[in-house]
Amino acid sequence: MLFECDPPPRLIGIARLAASSDLLEAKRAVEYFELETRRFIGRGSGRMRSIWTLNPYRGCEFGCKYCYARYAHEFMELRDPGLFEHKIYIKQFQKHAFRAELRRLKAGETIWIGTATDPYQPAERRFRITRGILEVFSGERSFDLGITTKSDLVARDAGLLAEIGRRNSVGVHLTITTLDEKLARLLEPRAPRPALRLRALKKLSDEGVRVSVLAHPVMPLINDSEESLDQVCAAAASHGASAFSAGPLFLKPCAQQVFFPFLEQHFPHLLRRYKERFEKNPYLQGAYPEMIQERVQKIRSRHCMKPWEAPEWPVSDQLELFREPVKKPAAALTLQRKVDSV
Ligand code: SF4
């Protein structure tokens, strides 16, 4: 416990950088900061050891109630899990530095964009970091590139992704947890509607980009019915996706702080059962995950879909991915500070 006369804690590493980040823009509920970053590409850990990960932003404005990545802001000493969706850090990006970083990787290596943030969240419209990254990839060859998003903004880059795909392997993975728009609005308050995501899927597929749909996370008694999952899979198939997958929810303590109050407000009858399960262990085990896997397999075969081709999601190791090293160079930031209301 801190007493009034205690000195403020000494911040180090990413927390120090976050605290000294320049404010680029502020709108009603969101502030954008610029974050200096020494390396863009990070190594996965555990079962993800064989792949590289890339997150253009820290934080995510979409504010999904189940989001596991809220933990990422804790590395910056931002302990309130709500700040993950209100303080968005834009990684400083320079094409030549990123190109040099990329060229240190071996041909054929897998790089995953969007493991701890959405690379097409609203910030991307303004700051275009993901677009810049893809433009560099368009001059490279032999990489295996994967992108996960909930945003229809990805369709903006359909042509560029197709171009990258001519000399690399590219897959775009849209997350759609439900087709029920009201439920989606509750669960993913600021993410584009499922219908918009499907439209983006179709555009990508028409351009020849390989696309798949993830109905992840599957939340017990919320979106786990066979009917609900089947609807998502059927829509994915009819909009050009070749693969479909879904996995059960996991709730780390930082995500519980947001998800439990959400349940209390919208699904009060489920709160006690969720607490009993997840407070003991953030991962569901036993019969439930097995039942969901069987259900998903059955649905997949009904719609002639393949399973998602990505490496298995590293539920327990994933948080290590946020520990990308960052370094503040001696030179002052050159971007002009902009504060305006939108
Ligand atoms: S889109 Fe992904 S990163 Fe963004 S809030 Fe939702 S779950 Fe988290």
Side-chain angles (χ1 to χ4, degrees):
M1 180 180 169
L2 284 180
F3 295 93
E4 270 185 19
C5 56
D6 283 340
R10 199 171 144 262
L11 299 177
I12 55 169
I14 184 74
R16 183 175 58 79
L17 289 183
S20 60
S21 294
D22 276 2
L23 180 67
L24 295 172
E25 183 184 339
K27 53 184 185 178
R28 196 156 54 88
V30 179
E31 292 174 306
Y32 297 125
F33 298 87
E34 183 181 56
L35 186 67
E36 293 196 54
T37 304
R38 192 181 68 194
R39 276 204 287 124
F40 248 74
I41 305 172
R43 193 50 134 167
S45 63
R47 284 177 296 166
M48 289 272 276
R49 192 92 222 136
S50 60
I51 74 160
W52 298 93
T53 61
L54 207 167
N55 289 292
Y57 304 101
R58 275 181 175 260
C60 180
E61 201 173 329
F62 287 158
C64 305
K65 299 299 177 187
Y66 48 74
C67 179
Y68 63 80
R70 292 176 190 278
Y71 190 77
H73 265 37
E74 292 185 5
F75 291 125
M76 300 189 294
E77 296 296 334
L78 299 170
R79 303 253 163 219
D80 175 350
L83 293 177
F84 181 79
E85 60 201 77
H86 297 302
K87 284 185 184 286
I88 310 297
Y89 289 82
I90 319 298
K91 293 190 182 175
Q92 201 176 50
F93 177 74
Q94 286 159 342
K95 278 189 178 174
H96 68 275
F98 179 65
R99 190 175 292 113
E101 213 179 310
L102 211 49
R103 293 212 165 142
R104 287 198 285 274
L105 306 191
K106 293 188 200 128
E109 294 218 74
T110 299
I111 302 167
W112 211 262
I113 302 179
T115 54
T117 187
D118 196 306
Y120 286 101
Q121 62 178 291
E124 173 61 16
R125 283 188 200 281
R126 178 170 183 118
F127 299 104
R128 297 171 69 90
I129 308 295
T130 302
R131 176 79 190 188
I133 287 168
L134 294 182
E135 283 169 358
V136 173
F137 270 108
S138 68
E140 301 295 325
R141 59 172 64 241
S142 305
F143 284 113
D144 176 22
L145 187 63
I147 299 175
T148 47
T149 181
K150 279 193 184 89
S151 175
D152 59 328
L153 181 58
V154 64
R156 177 199 68 187
D157 292 341
L160 182 55
L161 287 162
E163 187 189 328
I164 296 168
R166 284 193 266 282
R167 296 197 298 171
N168 303 268
S169 164
V170 177
V172 175
H173 314 282
L174 267 290
T175 302
I176 303 177
T177 51
T178 173
L179 294 191
D180 179 334
E181 303 235 327
K182 268 197 191 150
L183 179 59
R185 184 54 70 227
L186 291 180
L187 292 166
E188 301 148 359
R190 287 177 294 282
R193 289 180 288 119
L196 295 177
R197 296 180 223 172
L198 286 170
R199 201 191 299 168
L201 195 70
K202 179 85 171 68
K203 177 155 189 223
L204 290 164
S205 160
D206 288 348
E207 289 275 354
V209 179
R210 182 167 47 92
V211 280
S212 60
V213 165
L214 312 176
H216 179 86
V218 175
M219 292 156 270
L221 301 175
I222 294 179
N223 68 336
D224 66 345
S225 71
E226 179 153 352
E227 187 190 1
S228 172
L229 291 168
D230 188 273
Q231 283 171 355
V232 177
C233 186
S238 67
H239 287 76
S242 56
F244 172 77
S245 284
L249 174 72
F250 63 95
L251 276 182
K252 292 273 189 178
C254 64
Q256 291 176 15
Q257 287 178 50
V258 174
F259 200 75
F260 289 164
F262 161 77
L263 285 181
E264 192 167 16
Q265 190 179 357
H266 298 286
F267 299 90
H269 59 291
L270 297 180
L271 181 62
R272 183 183 56 80
R273 291 161 80 180
Y274 268 72
K275 279 190 163 179
E276 278 170 10
R277 295 290 172 88
F278 288 103
E279 279 179 347
K280 273 188 244 144
N281 187 343
Y283 305 100
L284 289 171
Q285 287 170 339
Y288 184 81
E290 285 167 22
M291 185 266 286
I292 291 299
Q293 275 324 303
E294 276 170 31
R295 184 170 290 176
V296 168
Q297 273 167 25
K298 195 163 76 169
I299 291 170
R300 253 196 313 252
S301 22
R302 197 179 294 149
H303 298 286
C304 304
M305 295 282 261
K306 292 186 290 183
W308 188 34
E309 293 163 6
E312 198 172 348
W313 216 238
V315 284
S316 56
D317 304 317
Q318 195 159 359
L319 298 176
E320 289 301 311
L321 303 176
F322 305 131
R323 296 186 188 275
E324 304 138 64
V326 289
K327 179 172 152 260
K328 191 175 180 82
L333 289 174
T334 51
L335 271 173
Q336 191 189 351
R337 174 180 291 208
K338 292 177 192 150
V339 184
D340 53 18
S341 295
V342 177

mmCIF file of all heavy atoms in Angstrom, residues 59-64 66-70 84 116-118 150 188 191, ligand 1:
data_model
loop_
_atom_site.group_PDB
_atom_site.id
_atom_site.type_symbol
_atom_site.label_atom_id
_atom_site.label_comp_id
_atom_site.label_asym_id
_atom_site.label_seq_id
_atom_site.Cartn_x
_atom_site.Cartn_y
_atom_site.Cartn_z
ATOM 1 N N GLY A 59 -2.516 -1.767 -27.138
ATOM 2 C CA GLY A 59 -3.880 -1.380 -26.793
ATOM 3 C C GLY A 59 -4.772 -1.594 -27.994
ATOM 4 O O GLY A 59 -4.291 -1.797 -29.124
ATOM 5 N N CYS A 60 -6.082 -1.577 -27.745
ATOM 6 C CA CYS A 60 -7.012 -1.796 -28.863
ATOM 7 C C CYS A 60 -8.354 -1.162 -28.521
ATOM 8 O O CYS A 60 -8.973 -1.486 -27.512
ATOM 9 C CB CYS A 60 -7.181 -3.285 -29.147
ATOM 10 S SG CYS A 60 -8.313 -3.596 -30.513
ATOM 11 N N GLU A 61 -8.753 -0.292 -29.400
ATOM 12 C CA GLU A 61 -9.959 0.503 -29.183
ATOM 13 C C GLU A 61 -11.244 -0.322 -29.277
ATOM 14 O O GLU A 61 -12.294 0.109 -28.819
ATOM 15 C CB GLU A 61 -9.961 1.609 -30.248
ATOM 16 C CG GLU A 61 -10.807 2.787 -29.905
ATOM 17 C CD GLU A 61 -10.604 3.907 -30.932
ATOM 18 O OE1 GLU A 61 -9.498 4.022 -31.488
ATOM 19 O OE2 GLU A 61 -11.557 4.657 -31.161
ATOM 20 N N PHE A 62 -11.199 -1.482 -29.881
ATOM 21 C CA PHE A 62 -12.422 -2.262 -30.054
ATOM 22 C C PHE A 62 -13.036 -2.675 -28.711
ATOM 23 O O PHE A 62 -14.236 -2.836 -28.593
ATOM 24 C CB PHE A 62 -12.161 -3.494 -30.924
ATOM 25 C CG PHE A 62 -11.963 -3.149 -32.390
ATOM 26 C CD1 PHE A 62 -11.284 -4.015 -33.229
ATOM 27 C CD2 PHE A 62 -12.453 -1.973 -32.920
ATOM 28 C CE1 PHE A 62 -11.098 -3.703 -34.570
ATOM 29 C CE2 PHE A 62 -12.280 -1.646 -34.264
ATOM 30 C CZ PHE A 62 -11.597 -2.522 -35.088
ATOM 31 N N GLY A 63 -12.200 -2.874 -27.718
ATOM 32 C CA GLY A 63 -12.705 -3.059 -26.362
ATOM 33 C C GLY A 63 -13.529 -4.313 -26.134
ATOM 34 O O GLY A 63 -14.520 -4.277 -25.383
ATOM 35 N N CYS A 64 -13.137 -5.418 -26.745
ATOM 36 C CA CYS A 64 -13.889 -6.670 -26.540
ATOM 37 C C CYS A 64 -13.887 -7.037 -25.050
ATOM 38 O O CYS A 64 -12.862 -6.955 -24.387
ATOM 39 C CB CYS A 64 -13.280 -7.797 -27.354
ATOM 40 S SG CYS A 64 -13.159 -7.383 -29.093
ATOM 41 N N TYR A 66 -13.986 -9.791 -23.583
ATOM 42 C CA TYR A 66 -13.234 -10.997 -23.214
ATOM 43 C C TYR A 66 -11.737 -10.858 -23.513
ATOM 44 O O TYR A 66 -10.985 -11.821 -23.370
ATOM 45 C CB TYR A 66 -13.788 -12.207 -23.993
ATOM 46 C CG TYR A 66 -13.946 -11.922 -25.467
ATOM 47 C CD1 TYR A 66 -12.848 -11.846 -26.317
ATOM 48 C CD2 TYR A 66 -15.212 -11.690 -26.006
ATOM 49 C CE1 TYR A 66 -12.990 -11.555 -27.664
ATOM 50 C CE2 TYR A 66 -15.366 -11.391 -27.354
ATOM 51 C CZ TYR A 66 -14.253 -11.329 -28.173
ATOM 52 O OH TYR A 66 -14.394 -11.034 -29.495
ATOM 53 N N CYS A 67 -11.302 -9.702 -23.952
ATOM 54 C CA CYS A 67 -9.945 -9.570 -24.501
ATOM 55 C C CYS A 67 -8.857 -9.996 -23.507
ATOM 56 O O CYS A 67 -8.767 -9.454 -22.409
ATOM 57 C CB CYS A 67 -9.714 -8.121 -24.915
ATOM 58 S SG CYS A 67 -8.066 -7.860 -25.573
ATOM 59 N N TYR A 68 -8.040 -10.954 -23.920
ATOM 60 C CA TYR A 68 -6.938 -11.429 -23.074
ATOM 61 C C TYR A 68 -5.756 -10.466 -23.096
ATOM 62 O O TYR A 68 -4.916 -10.464 -22.218
ATOM 63 C CB TYR A 68 -6.452 -12.811 -23.539
ATOM 64 C CG TYR A 68 -5.891 -12.795 -24.941
ATOM 65 C CD1 TYR A 68 -4.604 -12.359 -25.192
ATOM 66 C CD2 TYR A 68 -6.679 -13.183 -26.025
ATOM 67 C CE1 TYR A 68 -4.106 -12.299 -26.485
ATOM 68 C CE2 TYR A 68 -6.197 -13.127 -27.315
ATOM 69 C CZ TYR A 68 -4.909 -12.685 -27.533
ATOM 70 O OH TYR A 68 -4.427 -12.614 -28.813
ATOM 71 N N ALA A 69 -5.668 -9.638 -24.154
ATOM 72 C CA ALA A 69 -4.465 -8.826 -24.350
ATOM 73 C C ALA A 69 -4.406 -7.609 -23.434
ATOM 74 O O ALA A 69 -3.406 -6.895 -23.432
ATOM 75 C CB ALA A 69 -4.381 -8.393 -25.810
ATOM 76 N N ARG A 70 -5.430 -7.383 -22.637
ATOM 77 C CA ARG A 70 -5.400 -6.251 -21.709
ATOM 78 C C ARG A 70 -4.168 -6.303 -20.819
ATOM 79 O O ARG A 70 -3.662 -5.285 -20.367
ATOM 80 C CB ARG A 70 -6.658 -6.258 -20.824
ATOM 81 C CG ARG A 70 -7.913 -5.951 -21.606
ATOM 82 C CD ARG A 70 -9.171 -6.061 -20.762
ATOM 83 N NE ARG A 70 -10.344 -5.992 -21.618
ATOM 84 C CZ ARG A 70 -10.869 -4.861 -22.070
ATOM 85 N NH1 ARG A 70 -10.332 -3.713 -21.714
ATOM 86 N NH2 ARG A 70 -11.919 -4.873 -22.853
ATOM 87 N N PHE A 84 -6.580 -0.253 -21.578
ATOM 88 C CA PHE A 84 -6.168 -0.938 -22.805
ATOM 89 C C PHE A 84 -6.945 -0.425 -24.025
ATOM 90 O O PHE A 84 -6.416 -0.367 -25.131
ATOM 91 C CB PHE A 84 -6.396 -2.447 -22.628
ATOM 92 C CG PHE A 84 -5.982 -3.274 -23.803
ATOM 93 C CD1 PHE A 84 -4.657 -3.592 -24.018
ATOM 94 C CD2 PHE A 84 -6.929 -3.747 -24.702
ATOM 95 C CE1 PHE A 84 -4.268 -4.365 -25.109
ATOM 96 C CE2 PHE A 84 -6.555 -4.519 -25.797
ATOM 97 C CZ PHE A 84 -5.218 -4.828 -25.991
ATOM 98 N N ALA A 116 -1.567 -9.388 -30.264
ATOM 99 C CA ALA A 116 -1.879 -8.718 -28.995
ATOM 100 C C ALA A 116 -2.579 -7.381 -29.205
ATOM 101 O O ALA A 116 -2.657 -6.573 -28.284
ATOM 102 C CB ALA A 116 -0.588 -8.497 -28.203
ATOM 103 N N THR A 117 -3.047 -7.165 -30.401
ATOM 104 C CA THR A 117 -3.787 -5.937 -30.720
ATOM 105 C C THR A 117 -4.478 -6.190 -32.051
ATOM 106 O O THR A 117 -4.157 -7.163 -32.731
ATOM 107 C CB THR A 117 -2.813 -4.747 -30.851
ATOM 108 O OG1 THR A 117 -3.555 -3.540 -30.992
ATOM 109 C CG2 THR A 117 -1.914 -4.857 -32.085
ATOM 110 N N ASP A 118 -5.430 -5.316 -32.409
ATOM 111 C CA ASP A 118 -5.992 -5.471 -33.744
ATOM 112 C C ASP A 118 -5.266 -4.523 -34.695
ATOM 113 O O ASP A 118 -5.302 -3.304 -34.502
ATOM 114 C CB ASP A 118 -7.499 -5.182 -33.756
ATOM 115 C CG ASP A 118 -8.133 -5.715 -35.029
ATOM 116 O OD1 ASP A 118 -7.637 -5.354 -36.127
ATOM 117 O OD2 ASP A 118 -9.078 -6.516 -34.954
ATOM 118 N N LYS A 150 -10.556 -8.109 -36.536
ATOM 119 C CA LYS A 150 -12.031 -8.071 -36.497
ATOM 120 C C LYS A 150 -12.547 -6.924 -37.341
ATOM 121 O O LYS A 150 -13.699 -6.546 -37.233
ATOM 122 C CB LYS A 150 -12.502 -7.802 -35.066
ATOM 123 C CG LYS A 150 -12.514 -8.997 -34.174
ATOM 124 C CD LYS A 150 -13.282 -8.712 -32.898
ATOM 125 C CE LYS A 150 -13.186 -9.904 -31.992
ATOM 126 N NZ LYS A 150 -12.031 -9.862 -31.119
ATOM 127 N N GLU A 188 -18.312 -6.939 -28.283
ATOM 128 C CA GLU A 188 -17.198 -6.271 -29.000
ATOM 129 C C GLU A 188 -17.670 -4.864 -29.344
ATOM 130 O O GLU A 188 -17.963 -4.548 -30.501
ATOM 131 C CB GLU A 188 -16.885 -7.081 -30.279
ATOM 132 C CG GLU A 188 -16.495 -8.517 -29.981
ATOM 133 C CD GLU A 188 -16.904 -9.525 -31.062
ATOM 134 O OE1 GLU A 188 -17.516 -9.122 -32.069
ATOM 135 O OE2 GLU A 188 -16.619 -10.711 -30.868
ATOM 136 N N ALA A 191 -16.069 -2.814 -32.313
ATOM 137 C CA ALA A 191 -15.587 -3.524 -33.510
ATOM 138 C C ALA A 191 -16.655 -3.445 -34.606
ATOM 139 O O ALA A 191 -17.847 -3.333 -34.312
ATOM 140 C CB ALA A 191 -15.303 -4.982 -33.163
HETATM 141 S S1 SF4 B 1 -10.023 -6.914 -31.293
HETATM 142 FE FE1 SF4 B 1 -8.637 -8.349 -30.291
HETATM 143 S S2 SF4 B 1 -7.060 -7.068 -29.320
HETATM 144 FE FE2 SF4 B 1 -8.799 -5.745 -29.836
HETATM 145 S S3 SF4 B 1 -10.014 -5.652 -27.953
HETATM 146 FE FE3 SF4 B 1 -10.858 -7.273 -29.271
HETATM 147 S S4 SF4 B 1 -9.828 -9.165 -28.576
HETATM 148 FE FE4 SF4 B 1 -8.632 -7.423 -27.794
#
